[in-house]
Amino acid sequence: KQEVTQIPAALSVPEGENLVLNCSFTDSAIYNLQWFRQDPGKGLTSLLLIQSSQREQTSGRLNASLDKSSGRSTLYIAASQPGDSATYLCAVRPKEYGNKLVFGAGTILRVKS
Amino acid sequence: EAQVTQNPRYLITVTGKKLTVTCSQNMNHEYMSWYRQDPGLGLRQIYYSMNVEVTDKGDVPEGYKVSRKEKRNFPLILESPSPNQTSLYFCASYRLAGSPYEQYFGPGTRLTVT
């Protein structure tokens, strides 16, 4: 059964720092991996999607990498800003049952001004 | 604007009173799904649909029903809500054919059952 783990569970950094959020998954047989952002009481906003054949994706200050063989992904946020404060969720779409996403518990990020 | 919409956004109800949460997408996606989010348990899939009139159970289907009569709509029905169904509910959709299979989520419905 696919399981997704995110470390750390919470992170507090001063504005301007570069930071890395980690995601690991137990089964490398996936179609893709998706990073989401969730603001308190709000829905999920898709940040980046990495297909299983890709190694990384970039969008603005965000860069996500995927090492499928080791079951790891990282989300790199450059020059963090208070507006980046949110919960970041990692999710994989397993090949075993490709009709759903399996989510990690998330990393709560706080960027202090 | 491409989006998934849900209604209502907030709902407080009593045990046993039937309710429906609507979900609609304007992207002509074949696939739609419902998730619930609970503290410490993350997001878990309730039901999904691969196309009109095709639905199947997810990980936590007990106490829920769905229907898919139109491609754009996928309502979630709670026939007899109970307090353990108090949760934050999300509807999602994506296109089945062709990449990148990116899933789009609605804004969420916060349900409280007393």
Side-chain angles (χ1 to χ4, degrees):
Chain A
K1 179 185 174 185
Q2 179 74 264
E3 293 182 359
V4 179
T5 303
Q6 291 187 245
I7 294 173
L11 184 62
S12 182
V13 300
E15 182 177 4
E17 262 199 22
N18 302 325
L19 56 98
V20 174
L21 307 181
N22 296 292
C23 171
S24 61
F25 46 96
T26 54
D27 187 343
S28 61
I30 62 171
Y31 287 113
N32 57 47
L33 182 145
Q34 201 166 349
W35 282 93
F36 294 90
R37 169 186 173 136
Q38 184 176 22
D39 293 282
K42 300 286 181 65
L44 279 68
T45 301
S46 179
L47 298 173
L48 290 165
L49 180 143
I50 311 176
Q51 301 287 14
S52 62
S53 58
Q54 297 175 322
R55 297 284 292 183
E56 65 178 344
Q57 283 285 338
T58 298
S59 176
R61 293 183 294 108
L62 305 179
N63 176 276
S65 67
L66 174 64
D67 184 343
K68 198 175 62 168
S69 60
S70 67
R72 296 177 188 274
S73 176
T74 61
L75 179 66
Y76 175 82
I77 303 177
S80 58
Q81 303 169 357
D84 294 330
S85 298
T87 297
Y88 290 80
L89 296 165
C90 164
V92 299
R93 184 172 169 235
K95 286 187 175 179
E96 182 183 4
Y97 34 86
N99 53 61
K100 70 176 180 183
L101 293 178
V102 178
F103 283 85
T107 294
I108 301 171
L109 173 64
R110 180 182 170 217
V111 181
K112 299 171 289 187
S113 57
Chain B
E1 179 191 356
Q3 61 182 352
V4 179
T5 58
Q6 295 178 228
N7 282 292
R9 295 288 315 281
Y10 303 91
L11 180 60
I12 301 174
T13 190
V14 296
T15 299
K17 186 177 180 181
K18 181 179 178 180
L19 66 91
T20 299
V21 183
T22 64
C23 172
S24 183
Q25 49 91 7
N26 62 1
M27 296 167 278
N28 201 36
H29 287 168
E30 296 87 359
Y31 174 92
M32 298 185 74
S33 179
W34 278 101
Y35 292 84
R36 61 178 288 175
Q37 185 179 33
D38 302 289
L41 296 175
L43 281 102
R44 294 174 293 168
Q45 190 185 52
I46 303 170
Y47 267 95
Y48 66 95
S49 170
M50 306 292 274
N51 215 323
V52 175
E53 303 290 4
V54 181
T55 64
D56 208 345
K57 298 177 181 179
D59 295 321
V60 288
E62 295 77 19
Y64 304 95
K65 285 177 57 177
V66 292
S67 68
R68 187 91 180 272
K69 292 181 169 39
E70 302 169 285
K71 197 172 186 179
R72 64 182 292 129
N73 296 323
F74 190 45
L76 180 69
I77 303 158
L78 284 73
E79 295 271 3
S80 182
S82 62
N84 64 13
Q85 293 178 298
T86 292
S87 187
L88 181 58
Y89 291 86
F90 290 103
C91 181
S93 75
Y94 72 85
R95 188 181 306 283
L96 277 179
S99 60
Y101 308 108
E102 183 174 2
Q103 295 218 13
Y104 295 83
F105 281 76
T109 295
R110 185 167 293 281
L111 172 65
T112 302
V113 183
T114 61

